[in-house]
Amino acid sequence: MGKVLIIGAGGVATVAAVKVAKNSDVFSEIMIASRTKSKCDAIAKYIADKGIRSDIKTAQVDANDVEQLVALFNDYKPELVMNLALPYQDLTIMEACLQAGCNYLDTANYEPEFPSAEAYKDAVLPHHDDQPHFEYSWQWAYRERFEKAGLCAILGCGFDPGVTSIYTAYAAKHHFDEMHYLDIVDCNAGNHHKAFATNFNPEINLREITQEGLYWENGEYIVTEPMAIHKTLNYPNVGPKESYLLHHEEIESLVINYPTLKRARFWMTFGQQYLTYLDCIQNLGMGRIDEIEYKAPKADGTGDEVVKIVPLQFLKAVLPNPQDLGENYDGETSIGCRIRGIKNGEEHTYYVYNNCSHQAAYEETGMQGVSYTTGVPACIGARMFMLGLWNKPGVHNVEEFDPDPFMEELNKQGLPWHELHDIDLELD
């Protein structure tokens, strides 16, 4: 039994809070904190109204402010901090955990909010200084400090990254002597019945998919133009969907932890309507992440005031809130790993995946399937920590732990997995 503090109040945090509350056998106390306390209160009320748990505490905190975080951690004294805020805030929360003596878990790796040569001076992966870029190097730099403090940091415990990395670890442990080719495939075949919307924070979502593609082959990273490589793949219970090669963070750690991989790639599906809107957003300059000046009339009519806005942040404010998509969202997601390698001297293929219904996710947690597939693994990772199954000093990606108990919990917690052996993976 342990105390957990959830930072964040979006869709993923809501799902994680619901599931953590349901796992009362290992979580003795729960607090939810974010910049806007009323959002935390709403999550706590939702959980109480569902009859799950009525003792959840809430707090206000600015996750960009290390001093505020440390003060909250020292006051509440959680055993584990679950960072379900924005990737920009990973390093401040990790720093606060070190200062307050708390263990740490997140679902997405760090990226600087504003791209620049200075922001990226410690970057390792190929990148352009004026484009969004994320990688694990900034968080891996904390390894020695967490080790010396006797604290554990678990990185990337969502679905992708997260479950996909654990699928890979499970395949390596049980089905292959050597893995040679890994393709992570992410399909959202749902329909939210909006002209255009993103399934998680629009700012993060659009930054991710509009940056250059990146994949690993023959010992080096290959850079591509954004979404330049694509092909049709068939997904279980869904059918054929056009799938686009993207840069995704789990590739970075997996090729290190599984050095026999000759190639590792990440694919995600997009519909034509989505891509058309995305193209318009880019062409109109609304995808920009640099500040621009705008002359805005004052509310009292006394003249104009020059203000600075980031176009993508403005766009985020007018797009549908991902948390509000669930009620009318139908269809399902299908996410998994397609792996080719050697077992007992013979080549084999292996496909392990989960399909998640948006409506089933909404009925249980009030959120759509994309939030569900990230929030549930975060809860399971926290459960693994509390049970002592995933707890060793340092900074670790999820595939560095035993995958078996996590895989078992996926079946119990709402994300059952399926596997297919020796099939055509559709990927050369």
Side-chain angles (χ1 to χ4, degrees):
M1 297 285 282
K3 296 173 67 172
V4 65
L5 170 59
I6 297 171
I7 299 180
V12 172
T14 299
V15 172
V18 171
K19 301 300 280 192
V20 165
K22 287 186 171 185
N23 282 260
S24 58
D25 58 322
V26 296
F27 299 106
S28 58
E29 297 180 47
I30 305 167
M31 175 181 280
I32 307 169
S34 78
R35 189 191 301 269
T36 307
K37 186 175 181 294
S38 60
K39 293 182 179 180
C40 305
D41 294 336
I43 297 172
K45 183 179 185 299
Y46 175 84
I47 292 170
D49 290 347
K50 295 272 281 188
I52 300 170
R53 192 162 178 165
S54 60
D55 63 344
I56 295 176
K57 298 180 175 66
T58 61
Q60 189 279 329
V61 72
D62 182 352
N64 291 311
D65 190 320
V66 174
E67 289 187 6
Q68 284 192 36
L69 290 164
V70 171
L72 177 63
F73 296 173
N74 283 335
D75 180 63
Y76 183 62
K77 294 181 171 55
E79 291 179 48
L80 178 68
V81 172
M82 298 176 67
N83 171 15
L84 305 180
L86 297 175
Y88 314 142
Q89 298 159 335
D90 287 0
L91 301 189
T92 54
I93 297 173
M94 290 181 77
E95 180 64 38
C97 282
L98 283 166
Q99 292 187 27
C102 301
N103 299 283
Y104 172 90
L105 177 146
D106 69 26
T107 62
N109 69 353
Y110 174 73
E111 67 175 283
E113 185 169 7
F114 298 108
S116 68
E118 176 61 25
Y120 292 151
K121 63 183 176 62
D122 297 320
V124 175
L125 300 183
H127 68 282
H128 286 94
D129 290 340
D130 61 346
Q131 295 182 8
H133 179 74
F134 52 89
E135 61 180 66
Y136 278 118
S137 63
W138 290 287
Q139 291 178 274
W140 287 344
Y142 282 74
R143 279 174 173 156
E144 186 175 353
R145 294 180 64 196
F146 270 83
E147 287 173 359
K148 288 183 176 179
L151 298 171
C152 179
I154 301 171
L155 305 185
C157 198
F159 206 107
D160 44 356
V163 174
T164 52
S165 303
I166 295 158
Y167 282 168
T168 305
Y170 184 82
K173 181 176 179 179
H174 296 284
H175 300 302
F176 293 99
D177 297 323
E178 290 186 7
M179 295 186 298
H180 293 165
Y181 300 95
L182 166 67
D183 286 282
I184 297 169
V185 291
D186 184 327
C187 169
N188 180 12
N191 185 355
H192 46 55
H193 302 282
K194 304 286 186 183
F196 183 83
T198 62
N199 293 296
F200 55 94
N201 183 294
E203 184 179 352
I204 303 300
N205 193 180
L206 294 176
R207 284 169 64 119
E208 176 183 300
I209 66 176
T210 56
Q211 70 173 329
E212 292 173 321
L214 192 71
Y215 67 97
W216 175 265
E217 187 165 26
N218 296 327
E220 63 178 350
Y221 284 102
I222 310 298
V223 180
T224 75
E225 289 299 310
M227 296 197 286
I229 298 175
H230 56 95
K231 69 176 301 179
T232 303
L233 299 176
N234 286 282
Y235 293 86
N237 206 42
V238 170
K241 293 288 181 180
E242 199 66 13
S243 306
Y244 295 79
L245 187 147
L246 303 181
H247 168 202
H248 225 252
E249 59 242 60
E250 62 262 52
I251 299 299
E252 183 186 4
S253 65
L254 288 171
V255 299
I256 292 174
N257 289 315
Y258 299 99
T260 62
L261 284 170
K262 299 177 181 179
R263 188 184 64 214
R265 302 178 295 193
F266 180 93
W267 306 79
M268 183 175 284
T269 63
F270 299 98
Q272 189 54 54
Q273 179 171 312
Y274 183 96
L275 294 176
T276 299
Y277 274 93
L278 182 64
D279 191 46
C280 290
I281 287 169
Q282 293 292 97
N283 289 337
L284 292 172
M286 291 306 297
R288 289 173 56 176
I289 56 178
D290 56 318
E291 289 185 332
I292 64 170
E293 290 188 348
Y294 170 70
K295 185 181 289 186
K298 293 183 179 180
D300 60 7
T302 59
D304 295 330
E305 178 180 3
V306 176
V307 297
K308 291 184 176 182
I309 64 169
V310 175
L312 183 55
Q313 292 178 349
F314 175 81
L315 180 65
K316 171 187 172 182
V318 299
L319 285 175
N321 186 339
Q323 290 178 254
D324 299 332
L325 297 176
E327 185 174 6
N328 297 311
Y329 217 137
D330 51 40
E332 59 190 304
T333 65
S334 182
I335 312 173
C337 294
R338 303 185 185 193
I339 304 170
R340 180 155 53 99
I342 300 295
K343 180 70 172 181
N344 297 327
E346 297 181 353
E347 185 173 84
H348 292 277
T349 65
Y350 178 65
Y351 182 16
V352 55
Y353 67 93
N354 162 266
N355 278 34
C356 177
S357 160
H358 286 288
Q359 272 303 299
Y362 178 75
E363 289 167 7
E364 182 184 356
T365 65
M367 295 294 134
Q368 36 90 350
V370 176
S371 294
Y372 191 87
T373 55
T374 305
V376 173
C379 168
I380 297 174
R383 181 180 175 87
M384 295 294 99
F385 171 83
M386 290 297 182
L387 292 173
L389 299 172
W390 285 17
N391 184 0
K392 55 185 177 182
V395 176
H396 306 283
N397 293 85
V398 293
E399 69 267 19
E400 298 173 50
F401 298 98
D402 182 6
D404 290 2
F406 194 104
M407 293 287 281
E408 183 179 344
E409 284 296 322
L410 285 170
N411 288 326
K412 296 177 181 178
Q413 303 278 356
L415 292 175
W417 47 278
H418 313 276
E419 52 188 357
L420 299 171
H421 295 271
D422 296 322
I423 64 167
D424 178 6
L425 298 180
E426 303 181 299
L427 290 154
D428 296 330

